[in-house]
């Protein structure tokens, strides 16, 4: 039988670990470190193929193991902050992984080459760590060992690269570090000897890379002095000493390999100046096969903190490397810093760059004009812990918020030629100055979010978003929005402002062509409006997401005294409940707000410490709150007919004597019929309580009637998130998802059988595979409200459900769950 759960989408981005976190293999797969995982992404099908789990710390560097015959790689190696390297063997699935332990500090650079083309590939691996050493490892079969340690005193090596001397099998290692010099090591008698030091750079060296071109070996290096240097190593023939002439020659450094008795000369080929800030990475375009032989193109790619990526090549006539023959891509403006890394695709027709905030930027070369590069769709996601995720009420998209101070919206992209829609980030409604903590949807295109500040902010989708959403998801405009004419076009953040301000059609007047004087006025150099409405037919690239997809902020809600911690909206979209961090009873009150007048309706005081989650029952009769004080409280809606006001009163709670949880209660949720609710706590327990039947509960005896209806579910680890599906299994059981602090997600089903709680009421259906669940704590689980999969039009009695999850490992994931298989 097919597995009941499959991973539909993963949203993540590369670690902000300097250069080396991204690697593009000859097989077409892009590997990058994302939190503790190595993600393999296939740009051709635009989805992540796998997440390789093994590191216990941040992944800092990833490299595909280069083969001498330049065939597609089958192995990759990664190094992390957990002081270890892992060698992965990948042949359409993960075959095996070998850990290499030995470094005493975080590993920051790694390189690996095959020493021969035999089937039992014996690899040579070099790794640099912040323990001031470079370790050389060799791997035969399934065992890998450290064969040598190169000490660098108290200096650091930032990058390492391995190759072979021209016309031989002698390995050569280049190391660049904080001494501003490149050290070349040659392996002689099985040991790496320091043979040569190449001075020239005037600041820390950030990247070094070899390229074999015919009989010569080239080395490109880049540094924080904004320069790139290209060095050439070639065989030196034993010549008769020449007569002294006065012509200017570049100094050659000569060294001899004793084993083979060959001399080599190293000379500086070129210095490339064009960047205006630190150059973090430099890479050669991969060699390609032409007329049966491998050719190394003379093209390099560099990424810099000046927000640009440059492709350099020598001028056709003079052979001099100049930027004029080259292409410069990158963001102009935007609220970002520069680039950490860049890579060519195997055929050189695409480039990827890794920006400071972890985002990947992807460009493709135009087929006609080779000088034109256009941005393309690529994987994106949060670059810090994701705190909350919600489905929209119709189940067509998800919105997530995170500690990276952004709110992101993901939706399925439907294309005519593809059967399966792929998910992409299509808007970034809020880019904030505080870490975001929670959000709630208020109807279809409106949400409220809370951050580490005292105000709640309400956002509504602009017209430009709804039009683009319709184009991308294929849902007609008529279905989405009836009165789009009075909506603003988009939003922008004013130069000195903090809030997203709405922009209407009249605001985007065409600027007249200014003459020089008016341009020089300061106010004209910094335009008020950065927003440019674009009609999209495919998901927007990163630079467009940064400034053109904000949603206007329509309201701020003031009332809490500390940072907002949780927020919920009822199902008829008339009420918002929110709570903030609290260490005293007066601050722990829940505030109810009206979504029509945006006024504060009521303050519900009961808990003594922070309320960690709020949930309205599906029929809107109850509001449930769980708290750090280890108790829950249930509030019942009283309809006072004379005033028409909505009043909630506390109708049930736990206290010291009745509490079952002995630690903070992190999460809660309701069953779809509003009869039961579940609580999950750090004490590794999840419990279902009930019954909240309005007919059964009379005034006054609610306290006794709501008690545990299930036996305690021992989760085996702290429960950080719970979610109950709105759709039942075919035999009428509730589907409960439980997320744990270690990242695991487990699906259970439950149904009350008799009067007393019985252990047999629970069945553990499925534990989501370790490599598919999260690497760190699960922060929130949210089920899609209807059966079926978003973007598939399979609503009617579909076997599929969708579960969205987010975690501290920076990931947002969507799972397809087959309810017939549970």
């Amino acid at each position: 039988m097919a597995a009941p759960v499959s991973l539909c989408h993963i949203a993540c981005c590369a670690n902000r670990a300097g250069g080396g976190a991204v690697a593009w293999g000859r097989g077409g797969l892009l590997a990058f470190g994302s939190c503790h995982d190595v993600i393999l992404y296939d740009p051709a099908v635009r989805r992540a193929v796998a997440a390789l789990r093994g590191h216990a710390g941040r992944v800092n560097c990833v490299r595909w193991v280069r083969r001498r015959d330049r065939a597609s790689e089958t192995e990759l190696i990664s190094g992390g902050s957990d002081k270890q390297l892992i060698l992965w063997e990948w042949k359409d699935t993960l075959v095996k992984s070998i850990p290499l332990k030995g470094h005493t500090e975080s590993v920051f650079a790694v390189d690996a080459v095959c020493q021969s083309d035999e089937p039992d590939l014996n690899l040579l691996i070099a790794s640099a760590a912040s323990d001031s050493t470079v370790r050389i490892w060799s791997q035969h079969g399934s065992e890998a060992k450290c064969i040598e340690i190169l000490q660098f005193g108290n200096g650091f090596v930032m990058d390492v690269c391995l190759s072979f001397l021209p016309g031989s099998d002698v390995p050569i290692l280049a190391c660049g570090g904080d001494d501003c010099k490149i050290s070349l090591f040659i392996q002689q008698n099985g040991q790496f000897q320091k043979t040569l030091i190449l001075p020239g750079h005037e600041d820390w060296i950030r990247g070094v890379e070899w390229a074999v071109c015919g009989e010569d070996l080239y080395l490109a290096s880049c540094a924080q002095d904004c320069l790139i240097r290209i060095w050439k190593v070639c065989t030196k023939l034993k010549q008769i000493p020449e007569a002294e002439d006065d012509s200017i020659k570049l100094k050659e450094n000569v060294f001899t390999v004793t084993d083979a008795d060959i001399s080599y000369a190293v000379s500086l080929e070129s210095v490339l100046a064009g960047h205006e800030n630190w150059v973090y990475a430099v890479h050669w375009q991969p060699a390609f096969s032409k007329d049966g032989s491998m050719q190394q193109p003379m093209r390099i790619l560099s990424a810099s903190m000046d927000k640009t990526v440059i492709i350099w090549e020598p001028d056709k006539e003079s052979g001099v490397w100049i930027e004029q023959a080259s292409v410069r891509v990158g963001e102009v403006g935007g609220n970002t810093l520069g680039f950490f890394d860049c890579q060519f695709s195997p055929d050189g027709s695409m480039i990827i760059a890794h920006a400071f905030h972890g985002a990947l930027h992807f460009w493709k070369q135009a087929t006609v004009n080779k000088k034109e590069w256009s941005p393309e769709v690529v994987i994106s996601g949060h670059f810090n812990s994701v705190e909350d995720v919600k489905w929209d009420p119709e189940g067509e998209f998800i919105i997530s918020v995170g500690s990276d101070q952004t709110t992101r919206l993901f939706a399925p992209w439907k294309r005519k030629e593809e059967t399966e829609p792929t998910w992409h980030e299509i808007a970034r409604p809020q880019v904030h100055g505080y870490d975001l903590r929670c959000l709630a949807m208020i109807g279809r295109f409106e949400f409220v979010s809370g951050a580490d500040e005292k105000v709640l902010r309400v956002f509504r989708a602009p017209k430009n978003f709804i039009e683009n959403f319709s184009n991308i998801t294929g849902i007609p405009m008529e279905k989405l929005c009836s009165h789009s004419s009075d909506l603003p076009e988009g939003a922008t953040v004013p130069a000195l402002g903090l809030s997203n301000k709405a922009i209407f059609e009249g605001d985007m007047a065409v600027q007249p062509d200014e003459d020089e004087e008016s341009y020089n006025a300061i106010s004209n150099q910094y335009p008020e409006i950065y927003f440019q409405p674009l009609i999209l037919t495919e998901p927007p690239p990163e630079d467009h997401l940064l400034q053109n997809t904000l949603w206007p902020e329509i309201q701020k809600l003031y009332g809490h005294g500390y940072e907002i911690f949780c927020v919920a909206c009822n199902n008829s979209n008339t009420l918002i409940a929110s709570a903030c961090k609290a260490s005293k009873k007066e601050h722990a009150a829940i505030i109810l707000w009206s979504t029509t007048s945006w006024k504060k309706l009521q303050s519900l005081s009961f808990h003594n410490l922070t309320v960690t989650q709020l949930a309205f029952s599906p029929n809107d009769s109850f509001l449930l709150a769980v708290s750090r004080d280890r108790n829950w409280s249930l509030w019942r809606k009283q309809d006072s007919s004379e005033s028409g006001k909505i009043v909630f009163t506390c109708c049930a709670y736990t206290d010291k004597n009745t509490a079952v949880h002995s630690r903070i209660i992190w999460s809660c949720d309701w069953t779809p019929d509003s009869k039961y609710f579940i609580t999950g706590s750090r004490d590794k327990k999840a419990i279902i309580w009930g019954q909240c039947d309005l007919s059964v509960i009379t005034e006054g005896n609610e306290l006794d009637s709501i008690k545990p209806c299930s036996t305690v579910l021992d989760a085996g680890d702290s429960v950080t998130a719970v979610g109950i599906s709105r759709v039942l299994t075919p035999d009428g059981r509730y589907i409960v998802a439980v997320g744990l602090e270690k990242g695991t997600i487990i699906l259970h089903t439950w149904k009350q059988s008799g009067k007393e709680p019985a252990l047999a009421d629970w069945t553990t259906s499925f534990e989501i595979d370790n490599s598919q669940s999260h690497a760190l704590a699960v922060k929130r689980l949210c089920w899609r409200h209807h059966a079926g999969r978003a973007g598939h039009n399979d609503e009617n009695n579909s076997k599929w459900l969708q579960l969205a999850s987010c975690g501290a490992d920076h990931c947002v994931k969507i799972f397809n769950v087959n309810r017939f298989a549970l």
Side-chain angles (χ1 to χ4, degrees):
M1 188 175 188
V5 178
S6 63
L7 185 60
C8 160
H9 174 62
I10 169 172
C12 57
C13 74
N15 283 331
R16 305 163 63 192
V22 182
W24 204 329
R26 285 186 174 277
L29 284 186
L30 191 69
F32 60 90
S34 178
C35 201
H36 296 185
D37 293 347
V38 176
I39 305 286
L40 298 181
Y41 173 76
D42 189 345
V45 296
R46 297 192 167 108
R47 64 171 65 228
V49 187
L52 310 180
R53 180 149 310 161
H55 283 284
R58 184 178 79 169
V59 178
N60 297 323
C61 48
V62 181
R63 274 283 175 277
W64 288 93
V65 178
R66 298 193 305 284
R67 311 259 306 246
R68 302 259 337 238
D69 56 359
R70 316 270 175 91
S72 285
E73 304 95 342
T74 54
E75 286 159 311
L76 69 155
I77 187 154
S78 58
S81 294
D82 55 354
K83 308 174 192 176
Q84 66 170 339
L85 297 149
I86 299 183
L87 182 66
W88 315 85
E89 192 176 334
W90 174 264
K91 290 177 179 160
D92 296 332
T93 56
L94 182 63
V95 183
K96 62 169 189 264
S97 64
I98 306 168
L100 313 179
K101 292 184 166 69
H103 279 293
T104 55
E105 292 293 337
S106 305
V107 181
F108 275 101
V110 65
D111 195 33
V113 288
C114 298
Q115 284 180 285
S116 59
D117 295 331
E118 276 87 66
D120 62 327
L121 301 168
N122 49 346
L123 307 186
L124 190 64
I125 300 162
S127 62
S130 44
D131 55 9
S132 298
T133 65
V134 169
R135 282 177 180 253
I136 310 291
W137 317 73
S138 82
Q139 185 245 342
H140 293 273
S142 60
E143 69 160 339
K145 57 182 188 295
C146 178
I147 54 173
E148 199 176 337
I149 301 173
L150 309 175
Q151 297 287 349
F152 281 82
N154 50 11
F156 294 112
V157 172
M158 303 284 175
D159 200 13
V160 290
C161 191
L162 285 161
S163 188
F164 298 94
L165 281 172
S168 74
D169 284 338
V170 180
I172 177 167
L173 167 71
C175 302
D178 62 356
D179 59 355
C180 315
K181 299 180 181 69
I182 299 170
S183 309
L184 297 185
F185 293 83
I186 312 275
Q187 192 176 25
Q188 296 186 340
N189 310 326
Q191 291 285 310
F192 273 92
Q193 316 270 327
K194 189 182 235 179
T195 312
L196 209 54
I197 289 177
L198 304 179
H201 282 295
E202 292 172 359
D203 205 336
W204 290 13
I205 293 169
R206 281 288 178 178
V208 287
E209 186 163 280
W210 292 107
V212 181
C213 185
E215 292 297 297
D216 300 330
L217 187 60
Y218 285 92
L219 176 69
S221 64
C222 63
Q224 291 177 186
D225 59 5
C226 316
L227 298 177
I228 297 161
R229 287 175 172 255
I230 299 174
W231 315 78
K232 181 177 173 182
V233 181
C234 56
T235 354
K236 189 161 177 65
L237 303 163
K238 297 220 164 57
Q239 318 155 315
I240 321 115
E242 290 172 15
E244 290 294 319
D245 55 359
D246 293 340
S247 59
I248 298 173
K249 280 210 179 87
L250 272 171
K251 180 174 160 237
E252 287 188 334
N253 293 312
V254 180
F255 61 89
T256 308
V257 177
T258 46
D259 301 7
D261 196 35
I262 306 173
S263 295
Y264 294 95
V266 184
S267 58
L268 178 65
E269 175 84 0
S270 183
V271 178
L272 312 183
H275 284 297
E276 290 156 14
N277 208 326
W278 296 4
V279 186
Y280 254 98
V282 60
H283 293 288
W284 292 88
Q285 180 179 336
F288 56 86
S289 112
K290 190 174 181 184
D291 311 330
S293 68
M294 290 308 272
Q295 288 206 336
Q296 171 63 50
M298 282 281 116
R299 271 172 105 197
I300 63 172
L301 187 66
S302 62
S304 159
M305 277 290 142
D306 63 7
K307 301 190 189 184
T308 60
V309 172
I310 300 182
I311 304 169
W312 309 79
E313 46 196 336
D315 186 44
K316 293 278 190 299
E317 284 100 46
S318 64
V320 179
W321 290 79
I322 47 174
E323 196 199 334
Q324 268 57 43
S326 319
V327 184
R328 190 187 272 256
V329 291
E331 338 166 359
V332 180
N335 53 351
T336 58
L337 286 144
F339 290 109
F340 273 144
D341 204 357
C342 54
Q343 290 274 332
F344 271 111
S345 65
D347 63 354
S349 67
M350 295 175 278
I351 50 179
I352 195 127
H354 166 213
F356 182 83
H357 279 323
L360 294 173
H361 293 246
F362 193 62
W363 291 276
K364 196 170 188 172
Q365 193 172 24
T367 41
V368 188
N369 177 4
K370 299 284 189 204
K371 283 283 166 80
E372 260 183 37
W373 293 77
S374 54
E376 287 279 307
V377 182
V378 70
I379 188 169
S380 68
H382 291 273
F383 56 84
N384 210 331
S385 169
V386 191
E387 298 292 327
D388 202 350
V389 63
K390 290 282 188 292
W391 281 93
D392 86 296
E394 300 294 321
E396 276 152 8
F397 60 87
I398 60 171
I399 295 193
S400 59
V401 296
S403 316
D404 62 352
Q405 310 189 342
T406 63
T407 302
R408 298 172 190 244
L409 189 146
F410 300 91
W413 178 24
K414 283 186 87 159
R415 286 164 285 174
K416 299 252 182 331
E417 63 276 9
E418 303 279 338
T419 48
E420 281 285 306
T422 52
W423 283 76
H424 300 274
E425 182 180 352
I426 64 161
R428 207 166 291 169
Q430 186 185 9
V431 178
H432 204 26
Y434 292 96
D435 292 7
L436 285 147
R437 176 68 60 176
C438 54
L439 95 154
M441 295 296 297
I442 314 170
R444 196 159 188 188
F445 290 120
E446 202 172 305
F447 71 89
V448 55
S449 70
D452 285 344
E453 53 173 350
K454 302 174 186 182
V455 272
L456 289 148
R457 296 169 188 264
V458 185
F459 297 86
R460 187 176 288 153
K463 189 160 129 195
N464 186 247
F465 167 79
I466 297 175
E467 288 165 357
N468 290 336
F469 178 75
S470 161
N471 293 343
I472 293 167
T473 54
I475 303 163
M477 270 298 275
E478 303 74 68
K479 272 189 169 176
L480 294 175
C481 180
S482 47
H483 49 279
S484 68
S485 53
D486 50 356
L487 286 176
E489 274 292 318
T492 187
V493 179
L496 297 172
L498 295 168
S499 309
N500 298 359
K501 191 172 142 225
I503 291 179
F504 292 89
E505 256 175 82
D507 300 343
M508 295 178 297
V510 180
Q511 305 289 327
D513 290 337
E514 300 105 339
D515 47 8
E516 284 297 301
E517 282 103 53
S518 69
Y519 173 72
N520 288 341
I522 294 288
S523 58
N524 291 346
Q525 290 178 26
Y526 298 97
E528 262 299 279
I529 293 171
Y530 294 107
F531 169 75
Q532 293 297 319
L534 289 184
I535 301 301
L536 299 174
T537 50
E538 56 174 39
E542 179 70 20
D543 35 8
H544 180 69
L545 282 169
L546 281 168
Q547 46 193 25
N548 290 337
T549 58
L550 292 170
W551 288 15
E553 185 182 305
I554 56 169
Q555 196 66 40
K556 292 183 184 66
L557 306 178
Y558 295 93
H560 288 291
Y562 288 93
E563 297 92 334
I564 308 291
F565 200 83
C566 58
V567 63
C569 180
N570 67 354
N571 294 280
S572 50
N573 302 323
T574 54
L575 281 179
I576 295 172
S578 63
C580 69
K581 289 184 182 173
S583 51
K584 293 197 182 78
K585 186 165 182 173
E586 60 263 33
H587 302 307
I590 301 159
I591 297 182
L592 293 180
W593 317 80
S594 154
T595 59
T596 44
S597 65
W598 302 114
K599 290 205 168 42
K600 183 169 161 179
L601 297 177
Q602 200 184 347
S603 178
L604 312 177
S605 178
F606 173 81
H607 290 286
N608 299 314
L609 297 169
T610 310
V611 172
T612 50
Q613 198 177 352
L614 294 161
F616 283 95
S617 62
N619 62 11
D620 285 349
S621 304
F622 294 101
L623 170 64
L624 171 67
V626 293
S627 164
R628 208 180 87 184
D629 62 14
R630 306 169 186 181
N631 294 314
W632 55 259
S633 58
L634 187 66
W635 304 78
R636 182 174 170 183
K637 185 165 131 191
Q638 307 286 332
D639 285 330
S640 48
S641 46
E642 63 277 358
S643 64
K645 270 173 66 178
I646 299 169
V647 181
F648 275 78
T649 53
C650 185
C651 66
Y653 53 87
T654 53
D655 52 28
K656 276 205 175 81
N657 307 320
T658 55
V660 179
H661 291 298
S662 57
R663 287 280 177 276
I664 177 173
I665 305 178
W666 276 122
S667 189
C668 62
D669 201 11
W670 285 89
T671 57
D673 51 18
S674 305
K675 283 185 182 170
Y676 307 96
F677 58 87
I678 185 170
T679 57
S681 156
R682 183 183 281 161
D683 61 10
K684 307 179 184 178
K685 297 175 188 164
I687 304 160
I688 291 181
W689 308 75
Q691 268 196 19
C692 312
D693 236 348
L694 287 175
S695 51
V696 180
I697 299 178
T698 50
E699 296 288 324
N701 75 343
E702 294 107 334
L703 271 176
D704 312 329
S705 58
I706 294 178
K707 50 187 187 290
C709 290
S710 73
T711 52
V712 171
L713 176 70
D714 179 15
D717 191 30
S718 299
V719 176
T720 49
V722 290
I724 300 180
S725 166
R726 296 268 178 115
V727 186
L728 308 183
T729 60
D731 55 354
R733 300 174 69 83
Y734 299 119
I735 303 170
V736 182
V738 176
L740 308 182
E741 194 169 26
K742 63 182 180 190
T744 315
I745 299 172
I746 307 170
L747 299 181
H748 299 272
T749 60
W750 180 82
K751 189 178 184 182
Q752 194 169 16
S753 51
K755 283 268 186 283
E756 288 303 307
L759 195 60
D761 293 355
W762 286 105
T763 57
T764 305
S765 317
F766 191 72
E767 180 171 332
I768 292 179
D769 181 47
N770 180 28
S771 66
Q772 290 192 341
S773 52
H774 291 274
L776 294 171
V778 181
K779 290 286 190 177
R780 189 74 84 228
L781 293 168
C782 182
W783 290 91
R784 188 169 185 259
H785 288 181
H786 320 284
R789 292 166 299 176
H792 274 87
N793 302 334
D794 54 359
E795 304 286 312
N796 304 338
N797 92 43
S798 166
K799 63 178 180 180
W800 293 107
L801 304 174
Q802 281 187 312
L803 171 67
S805 71
C806 64
D809 61 350
H810 315 180
C811 278
V812 176
K813 300 192 178 199
I814 299 172
F815 298 95
N816 291 336
V817 180
N818 180 347
R819 62 191 180 111
F820 294 167
L822 289 174

